[in-house]
Amino acid sequence: MAAAARCSSMGRAGATGHAQQLGSGLRVLWRRVAGHQSSAGCMGSSNRGGAGGTPGRRALLATCAASPGYTAGVGAVEGSGPRVCILGGGFGGLYTAVKLESLMWPRGTKPQVTLIDQSERFVFKPLLYELVSGAASEEEVAPHFAQLLGPYPVFFVQGRVHSVQPEHATQDGGSTGGGVVTLADGASVPYDWLVVSLGAETSTFGLPGVKECALPFSTYEDAQRVAARLQLLEELVGYPEVVVVGGGYAGVELAAVVAERLRGRARIKLVTSTPDILPGSPQGNREAAHRVLADQGVSILTGAQVTEMRKARAGSSGGLSSGGSNGASSSSGVGIGGAGTAAGPDLAKRLVYVKDRAGQQEVLEADMVLWSAGQAPATKAAAQPPPGALRLPFSTNSRGAMQTDATLRVLHHSRVFALGDVAVSSGGQEQPPLPATAQVAFQQADYVAWNLWASINNKPLLGFSYQHLGDMMSLGTTGGAVTLPISVPPQLSAAVAAAGPLAGLLKAAGVKLSGSYGGGSDGVTLEGPLGAAVRRAAYLYRQPTLEQQLRVAGDWAQSASKQLRQVLADAARK
């Protein structure tokens, strides 16, 4: 991919090196100003404990080191406080770990933090689309945990969580103490406080053939498979057909980036079971998405429910002859993603069976099917787990999300917190879930970190209050839409609605105003290049560490400079 080539360039390496040096200097300066103990160790150095340190630290090192995926963070300081174990390295888990480091801890209370995730990379999911389009590099979208946690005293363990065994059980099925986390490889990590932030997983709703015929789009590996499949279609199929299932943000953004990459050389359909795309989203975002998809030639099929998928037999024509729902191959990702089999690339058509509201069935043919129609909390499988699956002793609601009180503490478990897609602050009552978005996890991480500090130091806990900051979406490499919840006076809205110089100026800039903000109307919507720039700036600000912010800013500045030079060169030739 073009992004991979940019990653290996000498200029990029130089910019990254300068960013790392600057970030390290700022980090050391902050530690000294804030009164933190300065440390300049490296992985495995004596200040990480090693054979020394407190008995609790030595025990933690021994148990963590039993896992093949164990990595000690760089520059850790000796700690004698309680052991905090965080399950899941997504937005909620990673940001909680980083936030804990930024708090001021009384002497002897700073916790020993362990972060466990089954992947070696943190994935900034809103930027996965840029990974497919080549507008961002792997280091920007999916940096390694070892790199991100280097400046922090956090232990990282790569492994899949198998079970949690709390200690000090209560009669109501809860617990009042710590416990042990057991990994799939048999390693165990003890904890005094536990944070569960395992995120969400792709859900196929049990529909036959979806796992075998469609590609999900939720992880770094998913994005790699989608990019590989697109490259295969570009090389071997003259005019491919692509079906994207799901009319939410993920489906719309994915359809836009695929259409942009294939540049009119494909037939793309977006299928949604709802009456319109982006249900419940601001009208400004929905209108912007309709315009971009129409310009890119994407057809939208609304009110269509997918009932099953099949793989057509080789040499057959569409729905006239098809294999079973398992298709001609048992692979669920690699072959479909473009690697194919030993006999060659998998070019068999996929058949998507859909039914409209009147019950009429239609069969859609596709060279690639992208599934973005459903996510479920990773803790859902723990309610009735099959052998070898995740086992958690925490109660869940009907969606499979763990139930918490207002402070995000799990009900009946005084030393367990949950956040992100796996948590619902319900107080035991069924409540509408919060949006499964990064900004929810960002905000909850602040509260969980603070409430851990308060719990350890016997201070009052804070109830979580979500503040919606707006809706952002990607609509291609240089396009986007951002709706901000800003109240617009009716007089200003009326003036903009009238045909005048102000209305023309705002429209040219990509700004749209409405009288109010809500499910059906907007405050301020930024579209096109302006929306894309604001979105990228917001995500730059939300990078998990200062060092990563500097790396990404350097990469983007270098990319923008390269694009500007290309534009000037093209203009000079003309």
Side-chain angles (χ1 to χ4, degrees):
M1 295 173 61
R6 291 200 305 273
C7 292
S8 60
S9 67
M10 292 298 293
R12 175 183 162 77
T16 302
H18 292 310
Q20 290 173 338
Q21 293 174 5
L22 178 58
S24 299
L26 291 174
R27 181 67 60 187
V28 171
L29 178 61
W30 166 248
R31 287 180 184 277
R32 291 177 179 173
V33 172
H36 288 295
Q37 177 182 350
S38 177
S39 59
C42 62
M43 196 174 301
S45 62
S46 60
N47 68 343
R48 292 312 308 261
T54 63
R57 174 68 85 186
R58 290 197 298 270
L60 178 61
L61 282 167
T63 53
C64 288
S67 174
Y70 163 74
T71 300
V74 178
V77 296
E78 186 65 44
S80 58
R83 300 162 299 184
V84 174
C85 184
I86 302 175
L87 307 184
F91 285 109
L94 177 62
Y95 284 61
T96 298
V98 173
K99 186 67 176 179
L100 286 171
E101 167 63 14
S102 70
L103 297 175
M104 301 298 291
W105 295 87
R107 183 180 297 275
T109 66
K110 186 173 183 178
Q112 309 161 27
V113 181
T114 300
L115 178 67
I116 302 175
D117 194 271
Q118 62 183 354
S119 173
E120 65 179 355
R121 295 175 180 265
F122 164 73
V123 180
F124 203 103
K125 288 190 175 182
L127 294 179
L128 278 177
Y129 310 98
E130 277 80 352
L131 195 60
V132 173
S133 67
S137 69
E138 293 181 353
E139 286 76 10
E140 297 171 45
V141 180
H144 289 81
F145 282 110
Q147 171 184 298
L148 292 175
L149 296 175
Y152 299 92
V154 175
F155 292 93
F156 173 65
V157 179
Q158 183 183 353
R160 184 172 61 84
V161 176
H162 175 262
S163 62
V164 174
Q165 298 88 32
E167 299 172 351
H168 308 292
T170 59
Q171 292 183 350
D172 59 3
S175 63
T176 58
V180 177
V181 176
T182 302
L183 305 182
D185 61 9
S188 61
V189 180
Y191 68 86
D192 298 305
W193 298 85
L194 184 68
V195 177
V196 183
S197 181
L198 292 170
E201 298 175 342
T202 298
S203 174
T204 63
F205 309 110
L207 294 176
V210 174
K211 288 184 178 180
E212 294 75 23
C213 297
L215 281 172
F217 193 79
S218 179
T219 67
Y220 168 71
E221 292 78 14
D222 291 341
Q224 286 184 310
R225 284 189 282 266
V226 170
R229 181 67 179 179
L230 285 171
Q231 183 178 358
L232 179 70
L233 297 181
E234 288 171 321
E235 294 174 353
L236 300 180
V237 180
Y239 196 79
E241 297 176 294
V242 179
V243 171
V244 180
V245 182
Y249 276 116
V252 170
E253 291 176 285
L254 194 53
V257 74
V258 170
E260 181 184 60
R261 174 162 172 169
L262 296 178
R263 299 182 183 278
R265 301 188 303 271
R267 181 180 294 107
I268 301 173
K269 292 183 179 180
L270 178 63
V271 179
T272 178
S273 60
T274 55
D276 197 1
I277 60 173
L278 303 177
S281 300
Q283 184 67 23
N285 278 15
R286 189 157 50 249
E287 292 176 353
H290 272 291
R291 283 193 293 271
V292 170
L293 294 179
D295 291 343
Q296 293 177 334
V298 177
S299 59
I300 302 174
L301 186 60
T302 61
Q305 185 75 45
V306 174
T307 58
E308 69 171 307
M309 296 183 191
R310 298 181 183 179
K311 187 181 296 186
R313 295 192 183 121
S316 67
S317 175
L320 298 178
S321 178
S322 65
S325 48
N326 285 338
S329 170
S330 61
S331 69
S332 60
V334 176
I336 296 176
T341 64
D346 178 10
L347 297 178
K349 288 282 188 179
R350 277 66 175 161
L351 307 178
V352 182
Y353 292 77
V354 299
K355 185 179 295 186
D356 63 18
R357 297 187 182 278
Q360 299 296 316
Q361 181 173 278
E362 181 180 357
V363 181
L364 308 178
E365 293 187 9
D367 298 285
M368 178 170 69
V369 180
L370 299 174
W371 180 265
S372 63
Q375 296 261 302
T379 51
K380 183 175 184 179
Q384 295 179 339
L390 176 66
R391 296 179 180 274
L392 298 178
F394 313 118
S395 61
T396 59
N397 66 357
S398 59
R399 295 178 51 251
M402 297 168 56
Q403 295 177 318
T404 73
D405 61 19
T407 68
L408 300 177
R409 185 163 50 186
V410 176
L411 296 182
H412 311 302
H413 294 270
S414 60
R415 291 197 171 192
V416 182
F417 290 86
L419 72 158
D421 299 329
V422 301
V424 56
S425 180
S426 62
Q429 304 295 322
E430 285 289 313
Q431 298 288 343
L434 290 172
T437 61
Q439 68 170 301
V440 172
F442 289 144
Q443 296 180 33
Q444 288 182 333
D446 285 341
Y447 279 82
V448 169
W450 173 260
N451 285 337
L452 279 168
W453 184 96
S455 299
I456 292 171
N457 292 285
N458 298 315
K459 301 296 183 180
L461 276 62
L462 296 177
F464 174 67
S465 178
Y466 172 62
Q467 181 181 4
H468 187 62
L469 302 178
D471 299 81
M472 300 189 295
M473 64 185 304
S474 168
L475 292 172
T477 304
T478 60
V482 177
T483 296
L484 304 174
I486 301 174
S487 180
V488 180
Q491 297 85 349
L492 178 59
S493 181
V496 172
L502 177 60
L505 181 62
L506 292 177
K507 182 178 180 180
V511 179
K512 176 183 177 182
L513 305 182
S514 294
S516 62
Y517 180 87
S521 59
D522 311 327
V524 177
T525 299
L526 312 177
E527 303 178 8
L530 177 61
V534 170
R535 172 179 173 271
R536 293 293 290 266
Y539 289 146
L540 174 62
Y541 172 74
R542 279 301 189 179
Q543 291 295 321
T545 66
L546 174 61
E547 292 79 10
Q548 184 66 7
Q549 286 179 339
L550 294 172
R551 290 190 196 96
V552 173
D555 290 340
W556 290 358
Q558 186 178 10
S559 177
S561 176
K562 182 179 179 181
Q563 292 177 1
L564 178 60
R565 290 196 301 269
Q566 183 63 45
V567 170
L568 294 176
D570 293 342
R573 284 195 297 268
K574 293 180 180 179

